[in-house]
Amino acid sequence: MMNIEGIIEKIIYKNADNGYTVLEMSTGEETVVTVGILPLVAEGEMISVEGDWITHQSYGKQFSVTSFTCSLPKNETAILRYLSSGIVPGVRAKTARIFVDAFGPETLEILENEPAKVAQLKGITVAKAEKIAKSMKETLGVKSILLYFQQFGITPNFAFKIYKQWGLRAYDVIKNNPYRLCQIQGLGFEKADEIAEKMGYDKTSENRIQSAIIYILEYNLYSGGHTFLPKQKLSTLASQMLSSDETTVINNIELMIEDSLLIYKEKIGNTDGVYLHGIYDCEKAVSERVCLAAQFNEEYDGNFENDINTIQKELGIEFAENQKTAIKEACCHKISVLTGGPGTGKTTTLNGIIHAFEMRGISFALTAPTGRATKRISELTGREAKTLHRLLEYKMQGGDYVFLKNNQNMLEYNAVIVDESSMIDIVLMRALLEAMPITAKLIMVGDASQLPPVGPGKVFKDIIESGKATVITLNEIFRQAKQSLIVTNAHKILLGEKPILNETKKDFFFLRADDSQTQCELISSLYADRLPKAYGYEPLTDIQILSPTRKGASGTTVLNEYIRQAINPEAHTKRELMFRGTVFREGDKVMQTRNNYDIIGEKPNGEAEDGVFNGDIGIIEEIDSGKEYLIVNYDDKKVTYTIDLLDDLEPAYAITVHKSQGSEFNAVILSLLDGADVLFTRNLLYTAVTRARERLIIVGSPQRVFSMVQNAKSDKRYSGLKFQISDSSWV
């Protein structure tokens, strides 16, 4: 780490939302281009920065800042530049000149503390002088907060987030309870505990113990999908984290339950459970709505045999008996579930349901949890589909994102059909049900053997296992599907049987690799050369590499860099942009990692379209390093990412199996070699195999494949939804 001091000569770029700044500072000997999170700095200020030198591809040598301190300018020239920069609202160059001419080196002190004196100047009212004084105090207050937190090892990036959370109250809030820092995404309990210790905070305080308890519940909710934890498990984890005796922790859990900060259920299946209040309310709301919907059934109005014959003629197919049953049940029940594996006719049945609804005048919305899933189901049905978030109009309102469609502003459909329902978490399910009229039908379509959702709970599986909803399981593999080894092996995997790995003339192949270097070389060759030559595939759009893990020699991080060197190597003709250690290069394949409904994309016809969604995959078409943005070309639109949006973008030559849920690819290359055994499960293998539409190539160890088939221990998730639905005594 190096330290440089100087005067800020020029602000080249500033992002008000995240504090990212590019500036020029003069050290007296040279002008240094400085980049980093530098919120609220202004031209004319003295600044001391700590960091390292980096070399930018287009702009050369720059100083990248990790921490900084600054002080107000002292001489008149610097003060004039500072006030002219706009750092104080209502003051620009002309007004700044009036102040500096009148007060000289004491200008800033007088502006802050003597508004009556300022109001004596021509053209300056008392109200304006007082407003300037207030702005000066706020600006200095914000800076003091940012610099205060840096002493505890908090980077300017997180310090700015703290300020955005609590404003000028941040100092008092954190001094009173440093564990409030756990509310800042990315900090966590460990960092808050470290800061609390530096502040001399009492290690036995209830704030510390209770913050750890909430942190553990939240961590397990969002990282493990658990909607609750057994009380004993929670107390053990908390006592280990706190290095505290378990009795003290249990006493605090009981106190939090008594104060309604937590919810406790004595019996959930064969265990008990401690909930965060909000997530318990989600389970309760979903269970009540499912139970209510299950009570209302109706007879089919009309001649079903005649109607189904008409639909069969329209589609040019003949339904199997259980497919007919699924279509009829969807018309007669308020909630119904259609599930089945690959090749069992889910999409055909779904098309039958759609035609039946249209024939009967039942208006419906077709939806799915992710952008890629909605695109796929729209292509297969020929009907418009929306993501659940778009359907429910998830937008910013009053500083927070909310669903504008809710129990006060309901959806205007007679039915909602949700594809890929295994991906729905409990929070999203509650939002959907609350926005549906009580008379509307819900049809959930999915594969119960897929991985559980990334978010909390296991809604689809719980509803099926509750026994309350009407469930139709398609298990007959149709003749055309039987010819596919992908389909055959997927069902073998589900049954715990070894898949066929020695077939070379179908759509499922296995290539052995005994070490990670050999595996990377094989995957690279398949991706960049062999599959394109053999089948005419375009690597970036037709082929997807999957891995169970990000980490390790055969994880997505290593594979992404390896493949990029093969297919999109560094070149002077390709611009690059580095962000938080990740290099983005023109021509790179990238993925959006969360739904963002505020980004505006441009369609090929020039029309604007808002939104880019979790799982969307595109190609970086252009990087303009000077303006700090890049343009990603998705299938149907181009989207511009400014520097503050790059947290949501990552390389996508290789992605995790979890990230591939809801998607299908013409060809899938599956990396199965190194990694933690706990990740290599039967349902993960099944999910990966069923992502391939035309061809699947597994590269790795046959022992790893067979061990995954035997590992039927899917990740245990604590979820109470099934028991809430099936147990009428639950209160």
Side-chain angles (χ1 to χ4, degrees), residues 83 88-91 95 98-99 103 107-138:
L83 290 174
V88 179
V91 178
T95 312
I98 293 172
F99 291 152
F103 304 126
T107 297
L108 297 180
E109 185 178 343
I110 291 171
L111 288 178
E112 181 185 359
N113 299 310
E114 300 182 54
K117 191 172 183 179
V118 175
Q120 294 174 9
L121 297 175
K122 185 178 180 179
I124 307 298
T125 65
V126 172
K128 183 170 183 177
E130 290 177 346
K131 186 176 180 180
I132 291 170
K134 183 181 178 183
S135 295
M136 289 283 293
K137 290 181 187 296
E138 287 180 351

Side-chain angles (χ1 to χ4, degrees), residues 391-656:
L391 177 69
L392 299 176
E393 298 181 16
Y394 187 65
K395 294 182 179 180
M396 178 73 76
Q397 190 175 76
D400 293 312
Y401 277 99
V402 296
F403 292 105
L404 298 184
K405 289 295 182 182
N406 50 49
N407 56 7
Q408 301 299 313
N409 178 32
M410 290 189 171
L411 296 166
E412 297 179 355
Y413 297 100
N414 303 130
V416 176
I417 304 170
V418 186
D419 194 33
E420 296 290 351
S421 292
S422 64
M423 299 176 67
I424 302 177
D425 65 41
I426 189 68
V427 178
L428 189 54
M429 188 65 179
R430 178 188 186 177
L432 173 62
L433 292 175
E434 287 189 342
M436 288 178 59
I438 198 71
T439 56
K441 304 176 189 296
L442 174 65
I443 299 89
M444 302 181 74
V445 183
D447 185 345
S449 299
Q450 296 283 344
L451 290 169
V454 174
K458 46 188 179 73
V459 173
F460 191 57
K461 199 167 185 179
D462 278 350
I463 289 176
I464 292 172
E465 294 179 354
S466 73
K468 283 292 177 82
T470 299
V471 179
I472 304 299
T473 302
L474 303 179
N475 43 34
E476 177 188 349
I477 304 174
F478 289 92
R479 185 172 61 185
Q480 185 177 358
K482 285 180 180 177
Q483 298 172 10
S484 167
L485 195 55
I486 292 174
V487 172
T488 300
N489 277 341
H491 285 273
K492 280 181 172 290
I493 290 165
L494 272 185
L495 295 170
E497 299 174 6
K498 290 182 178 180
I500 300 167
L501 300 184
N502 58 359
E503 177 63 65
T504 59
K505 295 182 180 179
K506 291 197 174 183
D507 54 4
F508 187 113
F509 305 93
F510 176 81
L511 296 178
R512 182 175 184 131
D514 295 323
D515 59 81
S516 57
Q517 182 63 34
T518 302
Q519 186 196 42
C520 283
E521 290 172 359
L522 270 173
I523 291 174
S524 178
S525 173
L526 286 164
Y527 187 86
D529 184 54
R530 292 167 64 176
L531 289 177
K533 283 182 178 177
Y535 304 105
Y537 289 141
E538 167 56 45
L540 293 177
T541 55
D542 293 327
I543 308 171
Q544 186 59 57
I545 300 166
L546 301 181
S547 173
T549 178
R550 289 176 176 271
K551 301 176 181 178
S554 58
T556 59
T557 302
V558 170
L559 286 169
N560 270 312
E561 190 54 39
Y562 203 96
I563 299 302
R564 181 164 73 163
Q565 291 305 319
I567 203 165
N568 190 34
E570 185 177 1
H572 72 277
T573 57
K574 298 174 184 176
R575 292 195 183 99
E576 293 183 355
L577 189 155
M578 178 176 282
F579 180 76
R580 302 198 198 285
T582 298
V583 175
F584 295 102
R585 183 179 298 152
E586 289 177 341
D588 273 347
K589 182 177 183 178
V590 291
M591 172 184 277
Q592 174 76 11
T593 59
R594 73 175 183 91
N595 292 336
N596 187 326
Y597 293 85
D598 294 328
I599 296 181
I600 305 298
E602 183 180 348
K603 299 171 75 172
N605 62 5
E607 291 182 4
E609 182 179 81
D610 61 325
V612 58
F613 309 106
N614 182 20
D616 282 354
I617 293 177
I619 311 299
I620 297 178
E621 185 175 273
E622 178 186 342
I623 292 177
D624 186 331
S625 300
K627 294 185 179 179
E628 301 295 338
Y629 70 77
L630 57 81
I631 297 173
V632 177
N633 190 351
Y634 293 101
D635 291 340
D636 55 350
K637 59 179 174 286
K638 294 181 181 180
V639 175
T640 298
Y641 287 79
T642 51
I643 198 81
D644 56 303
L645 297 174
L646 293 182
D647 273 324
D648 300 333
L649 210 59
E650 63 181 31
Y653 299 103
I655 63 176
T656 63

Side-chain angles (χ1 to χ4, degrees), residues 310-326:
T310 301
I311 295 171
Q312 288 179 144
K313 287 178 183 178
E314 288 177 355
L315 294 175
I317 59 172
E318 185 173 339
F319 294 114
E321 286 306 312
N322 60 348
Q323 290 180 308
K324 292 179 183 179
T325 301

